Amino acid sequence: MTARVFPSSPVFESHAERLFAEALRDQLPDDAVMVCGQRFSDRREDREADVIVAWPGFGIAVVEVKGGSVHLRGGEWRQVGGGLDKQIRPVEQALRCKYLLRDYLRRDRRWTAGDPRMVHLVALPATTLPDDFAAPDAPRWMVLDKTDLPQAAARVASALRQCESDVEPPTAEDVEAFVDCLAGVGIPQQDLLATLHEREAECDLLTRDQARVLDWLRSNRRVEVRGGAGSGKTWLALEKARRLTLEGERVAVMCYSRGLAEYLRRRVETWKPKERPAYVGTFHGLGIDWGVTPGSDDDSGYWEEYLPERMVKLAGALSVADRFDAIVIDEAQDFAESWWPAVLAALRTPEGGCLYVFADEGQRVFARQGRPPVALTPFDLDENLRNTKQIAGTFGSLTTSQMRYRGGDGVPVRFVQCDTDDAIGAADDEAAALLDAGWPAESVALLTTYRRHPVQAERQTAGQDAYWDSFWADDDLFYGHVLGFKGLERPAVVLAVNGFRDEERAREMLYVGLSRARDLLVVCGDLELIRRVGGPAVAQRLAQSAGSAPTG
């Protein structure tokens, strides 16, 4: 017996909220729904309801959760803990959220049950109330304390029964309609486009805040910036290159993958000429620019050994003017050990030239291993700025460090259970449903983890340049593989978990695939395979999302 949770992967603002929500969830019946962290806004205010319980046969309860030690002194609620002693208004917050929820339902045409039976409550999971507790705005039945946690659901049911109202409690069908209203399904395309643009602007503002990192590191010439997916590493890499160029240095920006290199080039082309680095592209592309004969994509020895060795020799023959004062590398975990001597040789002063590398060890999806052979000052990014909290929470257990989620609330991640061999077909159906629901084609990517989608294979027959041009085309969704999509993103991603060529790198590949969506993620595959390669935490979050409604 456990309630359905919406969103399926809630992100809690405090330990107290998590403690109360998990205790309540496990006590509620299967037909109840528990909504966590739901924001409501009107023209006057913006508030967040910590927990909402929609319970067929009982009603709807809005619960404000306060952690720490809570006191009521002289009619004033105060929260003490962590060196703070501040005034709080938990009853007022719960009451206002209740009314905002009621008004929201009144405006939604899908809600036809009228004003529901509702009550507002306060939960204090770390506080024990005295036996004689009493407050004019909060009778004892309205406040749940630490001793009430083992029977939290029973206390909620009792509060709803005590609600003086002639209104009938919601039915199971009413609760489903309630969830539909909060999910915001069926958004018209015009509104969806506006929402996507707004989300992109919000993420850009958050990412630009990361510029303070470069201010802190300005006096350091050799730095390794480490951070998980969505932490703004690529933006920081380009911003560092722009700043160095404006200071008069000759700068190279490098990465490994062609898709990311093309993204970097297109970004730089929008800058003023005086801001543009001298070179932006792949590591191997620099060697070919120097005169190394191009090799075949199938010849690993050429890319791993021959080309970097030739680059070291050619760098020694270059004039000082043709080398670089500074090199910035994005997705540096992709670089093999044999490449780093060529990177350093490209500097005018290999012993002291500026070197900034940006990396995420959790995304080391290639078998090669390599680390810069010089001392670098480490700096860790600990915030996810790009993905919604629901998406970031899905892959959070796969990151190498704990991240704070600042990307905002979004819709639940959707998981479609299917056989591994059927994952591409299921993904095709889900992508088509998104397009039918109004998602712009250029906002959607369909990614695979093993064999390429037939459309990707067909497009690549025209050459890599033509294939990557389709990433920026507006006429169709993009078909790709997680290996080539590292460092890139789309507002919506449908991930087909169609197996893994090398299960030793499957965890990292799954991490990349799950983290490429900014606003909406749909995963198609076999849950047991995902559990085996990604661990129980990822599988549990996806299992909670199984069968959720497609989002338009």
Side-chain angles (χ1 to χ4, degrees), residues 17 37 122 237 334 337 342 355 381 386 445 470 480:
E17 288 182 22
V122 174
D334 293 345
E337 184 177 356
L355 179 63
L381 304 173
R386 306 293 296 181
S470 70

Side-chain angles (χ1 to χ4, degrees), residues 28 119 126 137 206 347 441:
L28 289 168
V119 67
D137 62 344
L206 282 173
L347 289 167

Side-chain angles (χ1 to χ4, degrees), residues 199-200 203-204 207 230-232 384-388 407 489 518:
R199 269 280 298 151
E200 184 175 11
C203 290
D204 285 344
T207 305
S231 58
N384 180 299
L385 310 173
R386 306 293 296 181
N387 309 99
T388 65
E489 68 174 40
R518 190 188 70 199

Side-chain angles (χ1 to χ4, degrees), residues 394-412:
T394 300
F395 65 78
S397 64
L398 301 176
T399 59
T400 56
S401 61
Q402 185 65 38
M403 303 285 287
R404 288 180 291 164
Y405 307 147
R406 295 187 61 199
D409 286 313
V411 297

Side-chain angles (χ1 to χ4, degrees), residues 464-501:
Q464 290 295 332
D465 290 342
Y467 166 68
W468 281 107
D469 282 344
S470 70
F471 179 79
W472 284 271
D474 295 341
D475 56 347
D476 196 7
L477 58 90
F478 180 77
Y479 295 85
H481 191 281
V482 294
L483 290 179
F485 210 74
K486 274 185 349 74
L488 302 174
E489 68 174 40
R490 271 287 194 261
V493 167
V494 180
L495 177 65
V497 184
N498 62 329
F500 299 93
R501 185 181 304 276

Side-chain angles (χ1 to χ4, degrees), residues 202-259:
E202 290 173 354
C203 290
D204 285 344
L205 284 175
L206 282 173
T207 305
R208 290 176 186 277
D209 284 346
Q210 292 282 54
R212 67 186 186 278
V213 171
L214 301 180
D215 296 336
W216 296 333
L217 297 171
R218 183 171 183 176
S219 62
N220 292 273
R221 297 285 287 173
R222 295 199 161 180
V223 175
E224 179 181 18
V225 178
R226 303 175 299 208
S231 58
K233 297 186 301 299
T234 296
W235 187 92
L236 283 173
L238 285 176
E239 176 64 11
K240 182 61 181 179
R242 188 186 70 84
R243 293 185 180 192
L244 290 169
T245 301
L246 284 172
E247 292 169 3
E249 301 202 37
R250 191 168 193 268
V251 181
V253 180
M254 302 181 194
C255 63
Y256 165 66
S257 70
R258 290 183 174 109

